[in-house]
Amino acid sequence: MLAYDSYGEETAGAPILIVHGLFGSGRNWGVIAKRLSKSRRVVSVDMRNHGDSPRADSQSYHDMADDLAQVIESLGGEALVVGHSMGGKASMVLALTRPELVRALIVADIAPVAYEHTQAHLVDAMQELDPAAFDKRSDADAALARKVETKGVRDFLLQSLDLKEKRWKLNLDVLGSEMDKILSFPDLSASYDGPTLFLAGAESDYVLPEHRDRIKALFPNAKQAKIPGAGHWLHAEKPREFEAAVRAFFTL
């Protein structure tokens, strides 16, 4: 089963399940998870081929949704689900294929469509680094800067560099080979009628007006909202506003 961090006390209500995006981990969401756990138990998973979760040969959305279903079943059979980017797509597939497990859904800055936002260049950049060569994160950052200009992106990627174990906590080979699947979205005819919020960053180009028809076809009760001043990593850029939106939608 997927590795996860649990925050807060077990209560009678359904827990919140947080599902991170590509190259992320459950611990990236630690601050938001701790704050939300004052109202309800929160579980933040490491997706397959990320963090401390098992390695696998596939990164398909059906497989990722099955992983999430297993976690929710172990937690009691129902959850309030928050998924970002790749995790948002996996959460959508979960809701569409196993709706009984999802009491309500928040999809953060992603739509149920195929994208051309490939991250293959970041896989290549990380693969060029030898984790055994670094004792300090600053040295790894300097080396990664030759391929990745944006400091914020490097900081995010390097959270998955385990300096103690001298390894990436990402299965880079599989993430690279499965990139086309990660960019895609399964052709599903089902719909999820539960409460759904598509929460986007106002400065992001991931959720566009032309996606609305597809969103409504799959999620007929979906609402849409934007966080001003936020881009694709809206939960990291505007954590208080993101938390407030989650609390309001889940009525915590």
Side-chain angles (χ1 to χ4, degrees):
M1 192 166 71
L2 298 180
Y4 62 78
D5 292 318
S6 181
Y7 305 82
E9 302 294 328
E10 291 191 34
T11 61
I16 297 171
L17 181 73
I18 296 178
V19 190
H20 67 77
L22 181 63
F23 306 138
S25 69
R27 71 171 187 163
N28 296 155
W29 289 78
V31 173
I32 288 175
K34 286 177 184 176
R35 292 183 59 84
L36 290 173
S37 71
K38 296 175 183 177
S39 303
R40 191 176 293 249
R41 184 185 181 191
V42 179
V43 169
S44 185
V45 298
D46 287 347
M47 297 295 275
R48 60 171 51 206
N49 295 316
H50 292 71
D52 295 324
S53 280
R55 298 315 189 229
D57 293 333
S58 163
Q59 201 70 29
S60 78
Y61 284 110
H62 284 291
D63 286 337
M64 286 189 271
D66 287 345
D67 293 341
L68 298 176
Q70 186 179 32
V71 172
I72 294 174
E73 288 168 342
S74 77
L75 297 173
E78 189 178 44
L80 302 163
V81 180
V82 180
H84 173 246
S85 200
M86 180 190 78
K89 284 188 172 183
S91 299
M92 285 189 274
V93 174
L94 171 69
L96 292 166
T97 57
R98 297 291 305 277
E100 74 279 5
L101 300 180
V102 182
R103 178 178 292 184
L105 173 65
I106 295 177
V107 180
D109 210 64
I110 203 75
V113 299
Y115 286 86
E116 296 181 357
H117 297 66
T118 182
Q119 305 300 321
H121 62 292
L122 297 180
V123 172
D124 293 341
M126 285 184 279
Q127 285 180 318
E128 287 188 18
L129 262 62
D130 177 9
F134 304 104
D135 295 316
K136 295 189 298 183
R137 203 166 299 274
S138 58
D139 291 338
D141 178 69
L144 191 59
R146 300 182 192 122
K147 295 288 186 178
V148 181
E149 293 183 3
T150 306
K151 181 68 162 61
V153 174
R154 296 199 306 273
D155 289 344
F156 171 64
L157 297 177
L158 290 171
Q159 289 184 45
S160 291
L161 179 62
D162 188 335
L163 290 173
K164 183 178 179 181
E165 299 294 330
K166 304 293 185 184
R167 69 184 186 95
W168 286 103
K169 299 183 80 171
L170 299 166
N171 188 344
L172 294 171
D173 288 342
V174 170
L175 296 178
S177 65
E178 294 281 275
M179 188 61 67
D180 286 346
K181 290 182 184 177
I182 295 169
L183 294 172
S184 70
F185 190 80
D187 185 12
L188 295 168
S189 58
S191 64
Y192 171 72
D193 296 328
T196 307
L197 174 64
F198 282 78
L199 183 61
E203 306 301 319
S204 171
D205 63 353
Y206 275 73
V207 182
L208 300 173
E210 52 262 38
H211 298 153
R212 184 171 180 81
D213 288 346
R214 185 59 177 159
I215 288 171
K216 279 295 187 180
L218 296 176
F219 302 92
N221 291 317
K223 297 179 179 179
Q224 291 186 246
K226 292 184 178 182
I227 295 180
H232 184 57
W233 284 275
L234 64 176
H235 60 290
E237 297 167 14
K238 298 288 183 179
R240 294 286 185 161
E241 293 86 344
F242 187 89
E243 178 198 345
V246 172
R247 287 188 178 279
F249 189 71
F250 287 159
T251 61
L252 300 178

